[in-house]
Amino acid sequence: MAGRLQGKVAVVTGAAPRGEGVGNGMATAILFAREGAKVVLVNRSAERAEKLAKQIKDEGGEASVFAGDVAKADVAEAMADFAVKTYGRLDILHNNVGIGGPGTPETVSLETWHGVLEANLTTTMLCTKFCLPRMKEGGGGSVIMVSSIAGALGLMGSAGAVAYSTAKAGLHGFTMSVAADYATQNIRANCIIVGSVNTPMVGHLGPEARERRKNMVPMKTEGTAWDIAHGAVYLASDESRWVTGILLPIDGGLVALRTWPR
């Protein structure tokens, strides 16, 4: 069903992947455009974002590029202004910027800790801060956060990732706070909890690690960025007009289901 986002303007941060393949932001931007949204592609690398914009335009969609580091307040504000100046309104914010970093509480460096929290949490706060007034001007909107099972589960057997897990868990609280504060203003806030998907971010793990990740999923399959993007389209669309404050796992059942000991 095409046209689910017709007439809407969407900002997708971290839109272009850092490596080969389709990342969550890229898939979401493409599906948003296919459903009729005008999409602002936000990326630190203008080159990668321009490549994605061309792909969207070649399909008949509409997209523009805003290059900059939205961990900086003035850049995040300029991004929101750019969306409105370019397309006249702002309806959807998809907060997809995120990085990981190694370390347990004993081994993580302060540089890694601050960098991971800034990339995952500060960017989300700043982009939301400056997009909310534009959404209010347009009569409402949808804010989507992108979290991870690392923020919802303790993952035994993997390398320490205390900064990443903490940042992603923080997005859950951020989502609930925004949902509560703006529920009466027709602005919805929801969070996707991403499971074991095959994206450029995990491409370095290799086939054996991917197989282990797949086998821990109750459905015994590996997710893709498109699975995440389909969930984002629903949360961005008017189909979810009565949905706010949810943490939506898209993970093949990993968060909800467990193997019963036999």
Side-chain angles (χ1 to χ4, degrees):
M1 179 174 63
R4 295 162 71 190
L5 302 179
Q6 197 68 41
K8 296 185 183 296
V9 175
V11 168
V12 178
T13 68
R18 290 186 287 271
E20 293 299 317
V22 179
N24 295 328
M26 177 179 178
T28 296
I30 290 171
L31 286 195
F32 279 2
R34 287 177 182 172
E35 293 292 345
K38 299 177 177 70
V39 186
V40 177
L41 308 172
V42 181
N43 229 71
R44 286 192 298 180
S45 167
E47 182 180 358
R48 292 198 301 267
E50 291 288 358
K51 181 179 178 181
L52 176 56
K54 182 180 184 305
Q55 181 176 342
I56 289 172
K57 291 173 183 177
D58 287 347
E59 289 188 357
E62 191 160 349
S64 58
V65 170
F66 180 89
D69 182 1
V70 289
K72 297 179 174 62
D74 59 335
V75 177
E77 184 174 19
M79 174 209 70
D81 287 340
F82 174 84
V84 174
K85 288 176 182 175
T86 304
Y87 295 122
R89 59 185 297 118
L90 203 168
D91 305 283
I92 301 156
L93 170 62
H94 187 75
N95 284 303
N96 184 68
V97 173
I99 62 170
T104 67
E106 291 181 288
T107 62
V108 67
S109 69
L110 274 179
E111 181 182 8
T112 295
W113 174 264
H114 290 307
V116 171
L117 265 62
E118 179 181 77
N120 291 276
L121 277 175
T122 303
T123 62
T124 295
M125 185 278 291
L126 288 173
C127 290
T128 304
K129 175 185 182 69
F130 293 112
C131 286
L132 283 170
R134 281 72 176 180
M135 289 181 177
K136 288 193 287 186
E137 290 168 3
S142 173
V143 182
I144 304 168
M145 269 53 74
V146 179
S147 178
S148 164
I149 54 170
L153 297 172
L155 299 177
M156 297 173 64
S158 62
V162 66
Y164 184 71
S165 295
T166 301
K168 290 305 187 185
L171 289 176
H172 302 171
F174 183 83
T175 298
M176 304 309 289
S177 181
V178 175
D181 288 337
Y182 293 88
T184 61
Q185 300 179 61
N186 197 34
I187 293 175
R188 301 176 293 106
N190 296 291
C191 182
I192 296 174
I193 300 176
V194 177
S196 301
V197 297
N198 179 21
T199 66
M201 189 173 179
V202 300
H204 65 283
L205 295 177
E208 290 185 8
R210 282 181 55 195
E211 186 68 18
R212 290 196 300 272
R213 279 161 51 94
K214 183 181 78 172
N215 286 331
M216 76 179 180
V217 174
M219 293 182 72
K220 302 301 180 186
T221 53
E222 190 176 45
T224 72
W226 302 107
D227 296 311
I228 307 307
H230 283 297
V233 168
Y234 168 70
L235 293 175
S237 75
D238 292 339
E239 295 164 18
S240 61
R241 67 170 193 88
W242 217 44
V243 177
T244 192
I246 68 163
L247 309 178
L248 174 63
I250 302 180
D251 64 352
L254 184 58
V255 168
L257 305 176
R258 297 291 183 274
T259 301
W260 187 258
R262 299 182 185 277

